[in-house]
Amino acid sequence: MRKHVLVARRVFDSVTTRLAAHFEVEGNAEDRVFSKVELIAKLQGKAGAFITGSERIDAEVLAACPELRAVCNMAVGYNNIDLAACTARGVLATNTPDVLTETTADFGFALMMATARRMAESEHFLRRGEWTKWSVDMFIGSDIHGATLAILGMGRIGRAIARRGHLGFGMPVIYHNRSRLAPELEAEVGARYVSKDELLKQADHLVIVLPYSAESHHSIGAAELALMKPEATLTNVARGGIVDDAALAEALRERRIAAAGLDVFEGEPRVHPDLLSLPNVVLTPHIASATVKTRLAMADLAADNLIAALTGGVPPTPLNPEVLAAR
Ligand code: DGY
């Protein structure tokens, strides 16, 4: 008998077609984000779920869906999944690393540049019809080339951003991470390890690429922002909640730092109202990995994982492979 799976959000037709060759697929053509109650109802009788970062798989959901064997996240970040609870219940969890690294790094770099060079603010000014003359100090920002690039979190995406800064823009690169990189990896991206305080003090452009966890919650708050230079910028392409958005809004309002570029927010898709009213912040709706090629690669990898997990194959990117070993 064919297994039943839920594809919790609207995905590419090619991906649904591939899944339908193996499973009875229930999709979500409306692309509505299900409440927990709806998600539990949809998962009844399902052996697998293709989810995104918007669907939360926690202990309560798992307890209510005993037939679930695999949850395949179309995202590299997996703070929406209670991994320990999955493992305890023998549910395989997977994510989509690597395929989005370069695309996300491109976006992180672009957002940092847009922030430093005040692109959103000046574009809005022009569209409002306020541009009446060229001025010496109109929208003057800060340079990228030669400035100190400070990276918090030096995983794959952090290294890809460091490489861009080091090789493309001649930026001195410093980083802080839970564990230090091997010397050859540091040399490859021209990065020097420093303490978190030093990182914040020396940063011209701080880029945050940490995974979200209880440990990284509010890693950047009022105390950390107070260490930064008034000319510095902050860019977050990691996860909402790593930065205390209220404290950031206050620092931006008081010009304790120059500007911020944010692709992720605490409690998104809601955005802290103070951020919305500030001119010196560039805001984008969690789109760092959003190119056609990369989103298709992410969806295909999530589908590969789901197919392998439920047909006795080897899922390419498991998060809790011990579950497979125990099967
Ligand atoms: C990821 O892959 O984690 C991106 O943030 C998209 O959710």
Side-chain angles (χ1 to χ4, degrees), residues 303-320:
D304 291 344
N305 277 314
L306 189 54
I307 294 166
L310 298 182
T311 61
V314 180
T317 50
L319 289 166
N320 52 355

Side-chain angles (χ1 to χ4, degrees), residues 135-176:
S135 305
V136 170
D137 60 353
M138 186 169 63
F139 293 110
I140 48 176
S142 57
D143 278 326
I144 300 296
H145 71 275
T148 297
L149 173 59
I151 300 188
L152 184 59
M154 202 57 151
R156 288 167 281 226
I157 297 169
R159 295 204 296 277
I161 292 173
R163 197 179 314 112
R164 281 161 175 73
H166 172 57
L167 298 177
F169 290 78
M171 300 176 87
V173 181
I174 53 177
Y175 76 99
H176 182 74

